[in-house]
Amino acid sequence: DDDSDFLGSMRLFLPEKINGHPEQEYWYQFLFINDPREALDVLADLLKNDKTVAMVISDQKMPQMKGTEFLAEVKKISGDSTRVLLTGYAGTESAIEAINKNLLDRYFTKPIEDENDFVLNIQHLLQRFNMKQTIREQDQIIHQLYTFSNVLNTMESIKQTLDYIIAFTQEQMHCDRISIMLIEQDVLLIKASVGIPDEVVRATQVPVGERVSGSVFKSKTAILADSPAAVPYLGGTVHSEANSFMSIPILYAGLVSGEQALGVVNVTNKKNDAPFTKTDLETLTYIANTASIAIHNQLNKMRLRNSYLETKTNAAALEFQMTHDALTGLPNRTLFQDCLKEAIAEQA
């Protein structure tokens, strides 16, 4: 808006009203610009820096270009952003025409007579934007999980499987530290990780039902731990050396195949110090559910392989016992008779 007084009044109340809402899920940064050309440059810079631009609000009557023209350019640069036009009563026809052409999402008449009503409408538009973003992100993760599942099916070992799960999770969750804990004799052990010191990996043993990871394993419920005392490898106490690798919050999700609990995956240290959200927890749960099937299959393969080797070893041991003396280990009468029969058969 090129009206500095109007920009000043918006600057005074709009950020406080939007960000101060008790049920607000996101915090919004507000930029107030009086030149549409400058605003387009700022918008392009924000997108280059991977910022999400939820909404652009523009006055209609400006000397540089009309608001409808400006919002048409905004659509080219950031098509997902909600576009709102402020116009006088005389400009409502142009606003409606722009809506019909899908150049903007909503218009409000100016001057704004009821600030509370205006703020409420802006909040609703932001909620709609966030809902669309969530649906888009969920569709994307479902597609990626389909590929993830197919790749997991090609893995030949449990180590290869766990390493790929770590790499995929790190890419999807944008975090620096991940661990996968699997159950062994009622104790959870870290079997794969990134960003966690080796001494922590070796020392971590969490009994079922104890601390956060043990509780997640037992309850099979994904949670977000938001305090240092909840981090499993700290044992409920924050030590000074832990600060070098510990970060809060941490997301936990159980690895469950059917009704069988296999372990726990947790992530922390989201990049750029960004907070974890409910969407992140849902994403990790999707990953854990898909990964659980692959881990279960690999563990079953290991058990079958070990059982086969054990059976083969037992059979060889039994055959040795039948054909050798128990005291000396030398061939016995049975082996001698078998060899003799074979030799006679070859001469016949």
Side-chain angles (χ1 to χ4, degrees):
D1 199 313
D2 63 330
D3 184 342
S4 59
D5 291 336
F6 181 77
L7 280 183
S9 65
M10 293 287 280
R11 185 182 284 107
L12 283 175
F13 84 90
L14 193 57
E16 182 181 356
K17 291 287 187 180
I18 297 296
N19 286 329
H21 193 273
E23 298 180 2
Q24 189 68 39
E25 184 176 358
Y26 298 96
W27 181 88
Y28 296 94
Q29 177 187 6
F30 287 78
L31 299 175
F32 298 89
I33 303 171
N34 60 9
D35 186 317
R37 293 189 181 89
E38 179 187 347
L40 291 173
D41 291 338
V42 170
L43 178 62
D45 287 339
L46 288 170
L47 296 175
K48 284 180 183 177
N49 290 301
D50 295 325
K51 301 294 184 181
T52 299
V53 181
M55 182 180 293
V56 179
I57 305 174
S58 174
D59 187 29
Q60 168 68 345
K61 191 175 180 181
M62 296 181 290
Q64 299 90 343
M65 67 175 74
K66 292 180 180 179
T68 49
E69 296 172 342
F70 166 70
L71 293 176
E73 293 300 315
V74 169
K75 183 182 178 181
K76 295 177 185 177
I77 300 173
S78 182
D80 294 336
S81 301
T82 300
R83 300 176 297 279
V84 177
L85 183 70
L86 302 176
T87 182
Y89 287 101
T92 55
E93 289 186 8
S94 298
I96 293 172
E97 183 181 353
I99 289 177
N100 291 334
K101 292 181 179 179
N102 199 28
L103 298 178
L104 57 99
D105 299 283
R106 184 73 183 272
Y107 78 89
F108 297 102
T109 56
K110 195 179 177 184
I112 297 172
E113 297 178 356
D114 188 334
E115 289 184 357
N116 290 329
D117 184 63
F118 177 71
V119 169
L120 186 62
N121 278 287
I122 294 298
Q123 287 172 335
H124 287 164
L125 288 170
L126 289 172
Q127 288 171 0
R128 189 176 71 175
F129 171 83
N130 293 328
M131 189 178 299
K132 287 181 178 179
Q133 288 289 101
T134 300
I135 292 172
R136 187 179 294 109
E137 290 169 1
Q138 288 177 342
D139 288 343
Q140 185 179 11
I141 190 63
I142 288 172
H143 173 73
Q144 291 167 337
L145 282 172
Y146 176 76
T147 304
F148 176 56
S149 177
N150 287 337
V151 174
L152 281 175
N153 289 333
T154 67
M155 298 290 136
E156 297 180 355
S157 68
I158 185 67
K159 183 182 184 306
Q160 193 179 23
T161 299
L162 295 178
D163 288 344
Y164 177 64
I165 294 169
I166 290 284
F168 181 83
T169 304
Q170 187 172 27
E171 179 183 358
Q172 296 301 316
M173 302 297 297
H174 308 292
C175 57
D176 294 325
R177 287 163 187 164
I178 308 166
S179 72
I180 295 176
M181 306 178 75
L182 298 182
I183 190 70
E184 285 190 8
Q185 299 179 344
D186 295 327
V187 175
L188 288 167
L189 304 174
I190 296 179
K191 292 297 185 177
S193 65
V194 63
I196 299 177
D198 291 339
E199 60 270 21
V200 175
V201 173
R202 291 191 295 268
T204 299
Q205 295 188 15
V206 181
V208 173
E210 294 186 15
R211 291 180 257 174
V212 177
S213 55
S215 299
V216 170
F217 176 85
K218 188 174 183 179
S219 66
K220 304 175 185 177
T221 304
I223 63 171
L224 191 157
D226 57 1
S227 68
V231 182
Y233 48 77
L234 296 182
T237 304
V238 180
H239 303 287
S240 58
E241 64 271 18
N243 293 327
S244 63
F245 64 87
M246 187 272 295
S247 180
I248 295 296
I250 291 181
L251 298 179
Y252 294 81
L255 295 167
V256 182
S257 180
E259 292 298 318
Q260 184 175 352
L262 306 172
V264 176
V265 57
N266 66 62
V267 303
T268 186
N269 274 47
K270 195 169 183 179
K271 292 180 179 178
N272 300 320
D273 294 324
F276 285 117
T277 65
K278 292 180 180 178
T279 301
D280 289 323
L281 187 58
E282 291 173 359
T283 299
L284 183 63
T285 303
Y286 293 150
I287 292 173
N289 290 342
T290 304
S292 297
I293 299 172
I295 292 173
H296 195 190
N297 290 339
Q298 287 292 349
L299 292 175
N300 283 339
K301 286 181 182 178
M302 284 180 59
R303 293 188 186 99
L304 287 173
R305 191 182 301 115
N306 292 338
S307 177
Y308 170 76
L309 292 174
E310 184 179 348
T311 300
K312 191 174 181 181
T313 300
N314 290 339
L318 181 61
E319 183 180 359
F320 185 87
Q321 291 173 9
M322 292 174 61
T323 56
H324 291 75
D325 182 76
L327 181 62
T328 65
L330 296 174
N332 61 14
R333 185 183 298 274
T334 301
L335 181 58
F336 170 75
Q337 290 176 343
D338 289 343
C339 291
L340 181 61
K341 289 179 182 177
E342 289 181 7
I344 295 173
E346 288 177 359
Q347 294 296 325

